[in-house]
Amino acid sequence: MLRFILRRLGASIGILFAASLLLYVLVINSGDPLAELRESNAENRETLMQQRITFMNLDMPWYQRYWTWLVGVGKCFALQCDLGTSRQGVDVGALLSLAASSTLRLVLLATVLAAILGIAIGVLTAVRQYSGLDYGVTFITFLFFSLPVFWAAVLLKEYLAIGYNDWMRDPAFSPLQIAAIALLVGFLMQIFLAGPLKRRIITFAVAAGFVAVVIPYLTWLNFFRFPQLGFGGVLVLGLGVALSGTAMTVGLRNTKVLYPALATVALGAVVYYLAFGVLENPNWFVLVGGGILAVLIPALLGKYMGAHLRGPAMGVSVATGLVMAGLTTLDHIFRAWPGFLLLKPRPIATIGSQTPNFAGTFWEDFLDKGTQLLLPTILLAIISLASYSRYTRSSMLEVGQQDYIRTARSKGLSERTVIFRHAFRNAMIPIATIAAFDFAGLIGGAVITESVFGWKGMGELFRTGLLQVDPAPVMAFFLVTGTAAVVFNMLADIFYAILDPRIRV
């Protein structure tokens, strides 16, 4: 495996070199970087032209300019990158740093959400092949995939930003809206849970009735302006994750997995009160440290309490710990929402990555950046969702036809065990490739999405450099995206070996 990785690394470096040379030649021959200055009537035109020539090294032959850029990139190994200057004289390294941080903030969340939801939907539709749920999900995912990005962005701005902001001035539902939402939720739930006709009718009635009661109650509480989760909500939802995670893996009767998950819930309940003061106005070090502890401590509980089932016990406990930590964080975000609305009465923004000159507490600043992130994240996630769900579905169906799956069923193993412990892991091998390339591609920036939502990210950096015939920003863009493509492709290969040990040989 090490020899394979070294060979791939050597080939990748050669590919990056050839591609960078080709891209550089194409960019510098795509136009004249001095065009608008040549047509200018300004008195200092010659001075401005000379400045640009100096900034862009236009007095050098193209191969010398490329070599200068290549030497500057080579200095990155000594942590002294020199990516040149733009035609305005701005350091491209600084531009790249700002653009990369903006894009990573955007695409990381979108990719993770699309992967988690897409894989879950793919597994569900594979298990329920040719059912109403399967056909419905297939239609919706391909509808999202086929939407023109700019048109979908306009719809999101109109209904999830402008419409929502207007509604937030006096959040309320009419009886007709409540009835429509209740019927829709009931319809979707009976499709999702399936079963015989009698069970579907009961599911529909219970879900619709629940929604019809909850929405007026939340409106009466003024929940949408003063949301609250509280200790009870965190505890109940944490118990739900512990119980459902145990049921999906080994069954509720197996106490070797159930007890460490319940111990994690109890520990999370204690931490909720102990950390309350610290989380009122924390910093990122506190949150990251808490997240690490939310993984390590449940993992230790699962390892030492799980005995021969330490693997499933650790997985369920860690999932429960992360959810409890997330719910505790969400509770503090809810508490900051009323103050955030006082600072920003129209919370969902339609352009930009943050509100200029916004001054608030840590959570209010977090909400500001989060609401700015909401629309482009939803757009990128729903477009990527179809790929993950369809590939997962087809991979699960293909694995389901293998001999070892039929053998597992013939031995009397439960369908839950067959799906999650035998089929799912092998079905993830093709998905690793898609996830790696999807994330590497999105790091390059969604040019249209960033343009529509006014994000100054990697896509905007590339577009601006190309329009201005400025190779430095374009090559900086290539340096990040090309390297990301190579690295994530290699990580996909390594992930294959983790999922399937046979690949190591």
Side-chain angles (χ1 to χ4, degrees), residues 1-9 504:
M1 193 68 188
L2 179 61
R3 192 179 307 140
F4 168 77
I5 292 173
L6 292 176
R7 284 201 308 268
R8 288 291 302 275
L9 186 60
R504 298 174 192 171

Side-chain angles (χ1 to χ4, degrees), residues 105 113 182 283 344:
R105 187 151 48 98
L113 286 176
N283 54 50
K344 192 177 177 182

Side-chain angles (χ1 to χ4, degrees), residues 12-299:
S12 299
I13 292 174
I15 292 171
L16 286 174
F17 172 75
S20 67
L21 179 60
L22 177 61
L23 181 62
Y24 194 90
V25 172
L26 290 174
V27 172
I28 62 176
N29 287 283
S30 63
D32 181 7
L34 302 175
E36 81 280 5
L37 292 180
R38 297 186 197 277
E39 300 171 358
S40 173
N41 295 322
E43 295 181 359
N44 61 340
R45 184 184 68 170
E46 296 300 325
T47 303
L48 294 174
M49 290 180 66
Q50 187 57 47
Q51 282 182 345
R52 186 168 297 179
I53 289 171
T54 303
F55 290 148
M56 300 180 66
N57 296 323
L58 296 177
D59 52 345
M60 296 181 183
W62 71 268
Y63 51 85
Q64 190 174 352
R65 293 166 58 193
Y66 174 76
W67 177 254
T68 302
W69 175 82
L70 199 61
V71 171
V73 171
K75 293 179 181 178
C76 291
F77 292 104
L79 302 178
Q80 296 177 344
C81 290
D82 181 11
L83 302 180
T85 57
S86 69
R87 69 179 198 168
Q88 288 83 20
V90 181
D91 179 35
V92 172
L95 294 177
L96 179 64
S97 176
L98 293 174
S101 62
S102 180
T103 293
L104 280 174
R105 187 151 48 98
L106 173 62
V107 304
L108 182 62
L109 181 59
T111 305
V112 170
L113 286 176
I116 292 175
L117 294 177
I119 290 172
I121 291 171
V123 172
L124 183 62
T125 52
V127 173
R128 304 267 295 279
Q129 186 184 15
Y130 302 135
S131 65
L133 176 67
D134 187 18
Y135 288 125
V137 168
T138 300
F139 172 77
I140 292 173
T141 52
F142 276 104
L143 176 65
F144 287 154
F145 185 75
S146 304
L147 288 176
V149 175
F150 61 89
W151 184 70
V154 171
L155 292 181
L156 289 177
K157 284 186 174 185
E158 176 64 29
Y159 295 105
L160 288 188
I162 298 173
Y164 176 80
N165 290 335
D166 292 339
W167 179 77
M168 276 300 295
R169 288 180 299 186
D170 184 22
F173 294 91
S174 67
L176 182 60
Q177 289 174 328
I178 295 174
I181 295 172
L183 292 175
L184 178 62
V185 171
F187 177 74
L188 293 176
M189 287 300 296
Q190 63 88 19
I191 292 178
F192 179 77
L193 296 178
L197 180 61
K198 182 179 179 180
R199 178 179 172 180
R200 286 177 178 268
I201 294 173
I202 293 174
T203 301
F204 174 84
V206 171
F210 177 78
V211 172
V213 171
V214 166
I215 290 180
Y217 178 67
L218 292 178
T219 304
W220 177 73
L221 289 176
N222 202 9
F223 177 85
F224 304 102
R225 291 190 66 88
F226 298 90
Q228 48 194 296
L229 191 60
F231 175 75
V234 173
L235 182 62
V236 169
L237 292 174
L239 281 172
V241 172
L243 296 175
S244 60
T246 305
M248 290 175 61
T249 51
V250 295
L252 289 175
R253 295 183 179 180
N254 199 314
T255 57
K256 297 295 184 183
V257 176
L258 180 61
Y259 285 169
L262 294 178
T264 301
V265 174
L267 184 62
V270 174
V271 171
Y272 176 88
Y273 282 109
L274 293 179
F276 194 89
V278 176
L279 291 178
E280 283 188 336
N281 192 24
N283 54 50
W284 283 110
F285 292 104
V286 171
L287 294 183
V288 172
I292 293 173
L293 292 177
V295 172
L296 290 179
I297 296 177

Side-chain angles (χ1 to χ4, degrees), residues 149-483:
V149 175
F150 61 89
W151 184 70
V154 171
L155 292 181
L156 289 177
K157 284 186 174 185
E158 176 64 29
Y159 295 105
L160 288 188
I162 298 173
Y164 176 80
N165 290 335
D166 292 339
W167 179 77
M168 276 300 295
R169 288 180 299 186
D170 184 22
F173 294 91
S174 67
L176 182 60
Q177 289 174 328
I178 295 174
I181 295 172
L183 292 175
L184 178 62
V185 171
F187 177 74
L188 293 176
M189 287 300 296
Q190 63 88 19
I191 292 178
F192 179 77
L193 296 178
L197 180 61
K198 182 179 179 180
R199 178 179 172 180
R200 286 177 178 268
I201 294 173
I202 293 174
T203 301
F204 174 84
V206 171
F210 177 78
V211 172
V213 171
V214 166
I215 290 180
Y217 178 67
L218 292 178
T219 304
W220 177 73
L221 289 176
N222 202 9
F223 177 85
F224 304 102
R225 291 190 66 88
F226 298 90
Q228 48 194 296
L229 191 60
F231 175 75
V234 173
L235 182 62
V236 169
L237 292 174
L239 281 172
V241 172
L243 296 175
S244 60
T246 305
M248 290 175 61
T249 51
V250 295
L252 289 175
R253 295 183 179 180
N254 199 314
T255 57
K256 297 295 184 183
V257 176
L258 180 61
Y259 285 169
L262 294 178
T264 301
V265 174
L267 184 62
V270 174
V271 171
Y272 176 88
Y273 282 109
L274 293 179
F276 194 89
V278 176
L279 291 178
E280 283 188 336
N281 192 24
N283 54 50
W284 283 110
F285 292 104
V286 171
L287 294 183
V288 172
I292 293 173
L293 292 177
V295 172
L296 290 179
I297 296 177
L300 292 174
L301 288 174
K303 180 179 180 180
Y304 291 106
M305 296 177 67
H308 63 285
L309 291 175
R310 62 172 60 92
M314 290 174 66
V316 175
S317 298
V318 168
T320 305
L322 286 174
V323 170
M324 289 287 289
L327 290 172
T328 301
T329 303
L330 182 63
D331 180 61
H332 285 272
I333 293 173
F334 279 177
R335 294 174 185 274
W337 181 254
F340 173 67
L341 289 180
L342 293 177
L343 295 173
K344 192 177 177 182
R346 299 182 66 81
I348 309 298
T350 58
I351 194 168
S353 57
Q354 64 185 64
T355 303
N357 303 318
F358 184 86
T361 64
F362 175 85
W363 289 122
E364 289 167 351
D365 184 65
F366 177 86
L367 282 168
D368 175 57
K369 291 184 172 66
T371 51
Q372 301 275 153
L373 193 65
L374 182 64
L375 298 186
T377 297
I378 292 175
L379 181 60
L380 291 176
I382 62 176
I383 291 173
S384 300
L385 195 66
S387 299
Y388 286 104
S389 63
R390 302 317 295 170
Y391 275 105
T392 302
R393 178 183 181 275
S394 62
S395 185
M396 284 289 293
L397 292 176
E398 182 180 354
V399 169
Q401 302 300 317
Q402 300 296 318
D403 291 340
Y404 68 90
I405 297 296
R406 286 193 289 267
T407 301
R409 287 195 174 102
S410 65
K411 289 168 63 177
L413 295 178
S414 65
E415 191 66 14
R416 177 190 62 245
T417 303
V418 171
I419 292 172
F420 289 103
R421 298 192 63 185
H422 293 271
F424 181 68
R425 181 171 178 174
N426 290 295
M428 285 299 98
I429 294 177
I431 308 303
T433 304
I434 301 169
F437 277 106
D438 189 44
F439 186 73
L442 284 175
I443 286 178
V447 178
I448 297 176
T449 304
E450 290 183 7
S451 298
V452 172
F453 289 104
W455 277 68
K456 302 298 181 183
M458 295 294 291
E460 180 67 16
L461 182 72
F462 174 78
R463 189 180 70 89
T464 303
L466 206 57
L467 290 175
Q468 296 179 349
V469 198
D470 189 355
V474 176
M475 297 307 293
F477 167 87
F478 168 80
L479 182 64
V480 172
T481 55
T483 304

